Amino acid sequence: SASGSDSNRAEIGAGGGVVAVAEAMRAHREDSSLQAFGCTAVTNLAHNSARNRQQLAEVGVVNDVLIAMQRWPEDPKLQRQACWALLTLAASDLAAADITRKGGVAAIVAAMTNCADDPSVQHFGCWSLANLVWDIAAVRATARAQGGVEVCKAALRRFPRHAGIAEKGRLALSKLALK
């Protein structure tokens, strides 16, 4: 993909790609497929690029991802891509706290609950929770209060042989167990 390398990501971000993705997501809120592609673009732009993550935060893309999650609660493709976007955006404590404050933990828990039979949603949901709660006690407390432990345990029970869920679910639970 064009955004598959760090240099391409930087060029796309600097060339207005971040704003274009946010504008497209806002202009086409009723198109679940476009919202899923928008979340994928956010993931690709945010990966390994602190500058793009900062730009994405500045244009309010977290809100766009959360709106898509709320609007399409039972669309597994969208929920998977949105969880992946949130985990990539949560690369710093500041970003993780901001995502949590805006309802990101609740959105991930809802995605995992509404798409309980989809292993990809469970995998990226567990991974997103692990990333969000990594270093911040207040975010861990929020995640525990909003059902993070329960959805991770449910994912591990439902998909006992899925290596990604086993790895990320256990990681999330180990981080959620910290004070």
Side-chain angles (χ1 to χ4, degrees):
S1 77
S3 60
S5 76
D6 292 345
S7 62
N8 287 346
R9 266 189 262 311
E11 188 175 331
I12 292 167
V18 166
V19 171
V21 168
E23 287 176 352
M25 289 183 77
R26 290 173 191 150
H28 302 281
R29 294 234 192 258
E30 299 305 321
D31 184 336
S32 65
S33 183
L34 188 131
Q35 295 299 309
F37 284 123
C39 290
T40 301
V42 168
T43 300
N44 288 334
L45 287 167
H47 182 73
N48 282 347
S49 177
R51 182 176 181 193
N52 283 353
R53 283 191 300 274
Q54 179 63 38
Q55 281 187 289
L56 288 159
E58 288 170 2
V59 300
V61 81
V62 168
N63 291 329
D64 299 320
V65 171
L66 295 175
I67 288 168
M69 292 177 85
Q70 290 168 354
R71 189 157 283 175
W72 307 99
E74 296 178 9
D75 181 328
K77 180 179 179 186
L78 182 134
Q79 296 298 325
R80 175 190 67 228
Q81 296 310 117
C83 285
W84 198 353
L86 292 175
L87 91 86
T88 309
L89 290 167
S92 71
D93 290 351
L94 183 64
D98 183 57
I99 290 166
T100 301
R101 196 171 28 258
K102 291 177 177 173
V105 169
I108 294 164
V109 169
M112 293 177 72
T113 301
N114 292 329
C115 301
D117 293 327
D118 189 282
S120 293
V121 173
Q122 301 307 303
H123 176 223
F124 285 104
C126 287
W127 195 354
S128 296
L129 288 172
N131 220 26
L132 283 170
V133 304
W134 197 267
D135 271 335
I136 309 170
V139 173
R140 284 193 292 272
T142 297
R144 285 191 296 268
Q146 293 181 350
V149 171
E150 292 80 5
V151 293
C152 289
K153 285 181 177 179
L156 289 165
R157 279 192 308 272
R158 188 175 298 265
F159 298 101
R161 291 181 179 81
H162 189 290
I165 293 171
E167 177 190 0
K168 300 307 181 186
R170 289 184 186 124
L171 176 63
L173 289 171
S174 72
K175 294 298 178 184
L176 284 163
L178 300 173
K179 292 288 178 193

